[in-house]
Amino acid sequence: MSANLKYLSLGILVFQTTSLVLTMRYSRTLKEDGPRYLSSTAVVIAELLKIIACILLVYKDSKCSLRTLNRVLHDEILNKPMETLKLAIPSGIYTLQNNLLYVALSNLDAATYQWPSDSQESTSKELSAGSQFVGLMAVLIACFSSGFAGVYFEKILKETKQSVWIRNIQLGSFGSIFGLMGVYIYDGELVSKNGFFQGYNKLTWIVVVLQALGGLVIAAVIKYADNILKGFATSLSIILSTLISYFWLQDFVPTSVFFLGAILVIAATFLYGYDPKPAGNPTKA
């Protein structure tokens, strides 16, 4: 059962990551009348949706009893403040990472966002050097922060008996607070002028839902697999994003360096999951 959950969550993560990158890239570069939606507000809404989804899952695990749900939330969150505070660190990092994701995809094509390499030269005619630099810096900071937060979150999940959904509620609560602080600091004037949901459309809501789903899936992957395997699943989505960017979006031309990196990712994924059968003892004559 655990193995099935591991590979199911990994498959969903590959699909979610690929879909999120492509739809987010499209939503951030789509030219429409009126103001563009604010990435800081989208991050907050995604966190709130994640909290609601996790509360519903805890409600289901509580045999659909509101009294039991209230007791579980009170005992596991309010009565354990130190355990809850442990999630403040990865939550702040994940909130930063989610905002950087929007910055990166506003300045880079989908494939280059997922894999910073020499391939960005193919789009230099369309993107300014300044935009590329901002996008690549956002990717690099997100990569380093994601690695640390992932390992830290895995340690917390596997060292405690609290369910992954309770941990996600704690994570999302801090994420919402940090996200609202970001909205006030960076986009407070725009929100007061045009509203919190300025520029939102159907595509924006799809991006927000995919991002909320990603938080749940990543937690499940870290719980039932590990942070390294999560990295491999994310890397596999690079290849899918590249194919879609090249054949459908036509905003990316892969280079030989990119193909070499793709081969290394596939090989690393195979070697990580390869479990050779032990050789039998030789029969004596």
Side-chain angles (χ1 to χ4, degrees):
M1 184 65 179
S2 179
N4 292 336
L5 286 173
K6 178 173 72 174
Y7 291 111
L8 176 62
S9 58
L10 286 172
I12 296 175
L13 179 60
V14 172
F15 171 78
Q16 180 271 336
T17 304
T18 305
S19 302
L20 176 61
V21 168
L22 295 173
T23 54
M24 186 180 291
R25 165 66 180 168
Y26 183 68
S27 70
R28 297 303 288 174
T29 56
L30 183 66
K31 294 182 179 180
E32 290 186 335
D33 296 333
R36 186 168 64 175
Y37 74 93
L38 301 174
S39 60
S40 58
T41 63
V43 170
V44 173
I45 298 301
E47 293 294 334
L48 293 176
L49 289 179
K50 186 171 68 174
I51 293 173
I52 293 172
C54 288
I55 290 176
L56 291 176
L57 289 168
V58 175
Y59 175 70
K60 178 179 177 296
D61 292 340
S62 302
K63 298 180 180 179
C64 299
S65 170
L66 289 175
R67 179 177 297 179
T68 305
L69 171 64
N70 181 64
R71 179 178 56 80
V72 170
L73 294 178
H74 190 272
D75 292 344
E76 297 296 330
I77 298 177
L78 297 180
N79 285 352
K80 296 180 180 179
M82 296 309 297
E83 287 294 320
T84 300
L85 283 173
K86 288 181 180 179
L87 274 297
I89 296 175
S91 177
I93 296 174
Y94 280 135
T95 303
L96 172 65
Q97 177 191 340
N98 289 334
N99 280 283
L100 289 173
L101 191 153
Y102 282 97
V103 173
L105 285 172
S106 298
N107 294 280
L108 297 172
D109 56 81
T112 305
Y113 153 75
Q114 285 194 298
W115 194 324
S117 67
D118 291 340
S119 57
Q120 68 265 21
E121 293 177 4
S122 62
T123 58
S124 59
K125 293 182 179 179
E126 301 176 7
L127 300 172
S128 67
S131 296
Q132 286 185 323
F133 177 76
V134 171
L136 288 173
M137 286 302 296
V139 169
L140 291 174
I141 296 173
C143 286
F144 284 108
S145 62
S146 175
F148 173 77
V151 173
Y152 186 94
F153 190 42
E154 179 183 354
K155 181 176 183 295
I156 293 176
L157 280 178
K158 295 186 175 181
E159 286 186 352
T160 59
K161 295 182 179 180
Q162 287 181 312
S163 73
V164 65
W165 311 128
I166 291 293
R167 286 304 193 185
N168 256 305
I169 293 173
Q170 296 168 324
L171 200 68
S173 299
F174 285 113
S176 300
I177 295 172
F178 292 138
L180 286 172
M181 290 171 60
V183 172
Y184 176 77
I185 294 172
Y186 296 106
D187 297 317
E189 186 176 343
L190 290 174
V191 170
S192 62
K193 180 180 179 181
N194 298 314
F196 192 87
F197 295 100
Q198 60 180 284
Y200 274 60
N201 53 33
K202 291 181 180 179
L203 183 61
T204 307
W205 284 107
I206 291 174
V207 170
V208 170
V209 170
L210 283 173
Q211 192 169 31
L213 175 64
L216 301 177
V217 176
I218 287 174
V221 169
I222 293 176
K223 176 69 174 180
Y224 297 109
D226 55 47
N227 192 58
I228 297 176
L229 206 54
K230 184 208 80 171
F232 284 137
T234 305
S235 299
L236 286 175
S237 72
I238 297 171
I239 300 170
L240 292 177
S241 298
T242 303
L243 294 175
I244 296 174
S245 291
Y246 179 70
F247 290 106
W248 181 31
L249 301 179
Q250 297 180 350
D251 65 349
F252 175 72
V253 179
T255 64
S256 57
V257 176
F258 191 95
F259 280 117
L260 176 62
I263 294 172
L264 291 175
V265 168
I266 295 173
T269 305
F270 172 77
L271 291 174
Y272 182 82
Y274 179 64
D275 186 16
K277 296 180 179 180
N281 295 327
T283 304
K284 295 183 179 179

